[in-house]
Amino acid sequence: QTSFYGRFRHFLDIIDPRTLFVTESRLKEAVQLLEDYKHGTLPPGVTNKELWGAQKIKQAIIHPDTNETIFMPFRYIPFGTPIVVGLLLPNQTLASTVFWQWLNQSHNACVNYANRNASKPSPTSKFIQGYLGAVISAVSIAVGLNVLIQRANKFTPATRLLIQRFVPFPAVASANICNVVLMRHTELEEGIDVLDNNGNIVGSSRVAAKHALLETALTRVVLPMPILVLPPIIMSVLEKTSLLRSRPRMILPVQSLVCLAAFGLALPLAISLFPQMSEV
């Protein structure tokens, strides 16, 4: 995982939807196999392919700090695709804008908490602050931009509709930063655990915490970019084709597939920007 390409391939494996169907017994087998490898007690006949498969299962399901199973909807597998489709629906009303932004930030907050740096315990109040801050900022920006666009008399109805499709990105990106900073502010004050080359904890560092939060915040800005920018561009082209013009009922299923593809690309792309373990 020393290169971007290596990390991209690695996380592409982790978000493999097939890990959703891994049973509890299969997960225990994978964890035990890795423990046997670690202690040099591997059963005879175990191949490298089996070991990498076990590693993939463990990293997709088990939290690296707590060693607990991450609740399925809050793993990195793109459960948020239906929410993205809702965010990008055309002709949004005030109520629908508020609902989809609230739902998105609620899901994001749970994902952030489930995949948090758990080396330092954080009070529940910080989680609530991050959640409320993200919801308020996302709803405020989305509603505010929609109002401004509606009042822009210079735009034609078609142009106004196209611009409205891009409103979710600045709202979600700014809310994601707000969420991360508020939820993990304790790390800036107390620091996070730092390790030596052998994985031994040697102390706590506020400098490392600052690096970690900055990289996480940048990741949270890059992540929604392909998800919320590419689908509106692609759909604006597809909706002009004779196929979708003659079959308007296909627009929503096609948009869902486009969003799913964008999600599958954006997730490993964003997470691969920085190494999982950084050096300071």
Side-chain angles (χ1 to χ4, degrees):
Q1 293 188 46
T2 54
S3 68
F4 171 81
Y5 178 72
R7 292 192 295 273
F8 182 80
R9 287 288 303 273
H10 171 70
F11 286 112
L12 204 58
D13 275 345
I14 288 180
I15 66 168
D16 187 340
R18 288 176 295 181
T19 58
L20 292 174
F21 306 103
V22 172
T23 61
E24 189 68 27
S25 59
R26 177 70 185 97
L27 175 61
K28 288 180 180 178
E29 286 175 12
V31 172
Q32 187 58 51
L33 196 63
L34 294 172
E35 284 297 312
D36 291 343
Y37 171 77
K38 193 175 180 181
H39 296 102
T41 57
L42 269 180
V46 176
T47 64
N48 280 340
K49 185 177 181 180
E50 289 174 312
L51 282 171
W52 281 113
Q55 176 83 333
K56 170 181 172 178
I57 290 172
K58 182 182 178 182
Q59 291 190 330
I61 300 174
I62 302 293
H63 192 288
D65 293 335
T66 64
N67 287 321
E68 295 176 355
T69 301
I70 300 171
F71 185 46
M72 190 182 290
F74 304 147
R75 295 175 197 164
Y76 280 126
I77 296 169
F79 276 97
T81 302
I83 300 174
V84 173
V85 174
L87 285 169
L88 296 175
L89 288 174
N91 299 315
Q92 296 264 16
T93 63
L94 176 62
S96 65
T97 299
V98 171
F99 170 76
W100 287 112
Q101 289 292 346
W102 164 78
L103 187 61
N104 182 53
Q105 290 308 321
S106 297
H107 183 257
N108 283 351
C110 292
V111 170
N112 286 345
Y113 182 78
N115 297 279
R116 71 197 181 282
N117 182 325
S119 63
K120 290 280 186 178
S122 184
T124 307
S125 60
K126 292 294 181 183
F127 173 76
I128 296 172
Q129 284 179 16
Y131 170 65
L132 292 177
V135 170
I136 292 169
S137 61
V139 171
S140 301
I141 292 171
V143 171
L145 288 175
N146 274 326
V147 170
L148 287 175
I149 293 167
Q150 290 294 339
R151 292 181 178 178
N153 298 323
K154 293 181 181 179
F155 295 142
T156 64
T159 304
R160 189 179 288 117
L161 180 61
L162 181 62
I163 295 174
Q164 277 183 316
R165 284 182 159 182
F166 292 96
V167 167
F169 172 66
V172 169
S174 58
N176 284 353
I177 295 175
C178 185
N179 192 319
V180 169
V181 172
L182 288 174
M183 280 185 66
R184 297 178 60 175
H185 190 262
T186 306
E187 296 175 21
L188 292 175
E189 299 169 349
E190 301 178 3
I192 57 174
D193 289 343
V194 287
L195 318 173
D196 61 16
N197 289 333
N198 298 317
N200 302 311
I201 298 175
V202 294
S204 187
S205 169
R206 289 193 293 269
V207 174
K210 187 186 292 184
H211 279 279
L213 257 68
L214 177 61
E215 290 181 359
T216 305
L218 288 173
T219 299
R220 295 295 190 270
V221 172
V222 173
L223 176 58
M225 198 177 293
I227 299 172
L228 298 175
V229 173
L230 285 179
I233 296 173
I234 294 170
M235 289 306 298
S236 65
V237 174
L238 293 179
E239 286 172 5
K240 294 176 182 177
T241 61
S242 57
L243 178 65
L244 291 186
R245 278 184 173 180
S246 59
R247 298 175 179 84
R249 289 184 179 180
M250 288 183 62
I251 291 177
L252 188 58
V254 170
Q255 181 169 318
S256 301
L257 290 174
V258 170
C259 289
L260 182 61
F263 216 131
L265 169 69
L267 199 55
L269 185 70
I271 301 173
S272 303
L273 288 177
F274 304 103
Q276 196 167 11
M277 298 292 290
S278 296
E279 293 183 359
V280 291

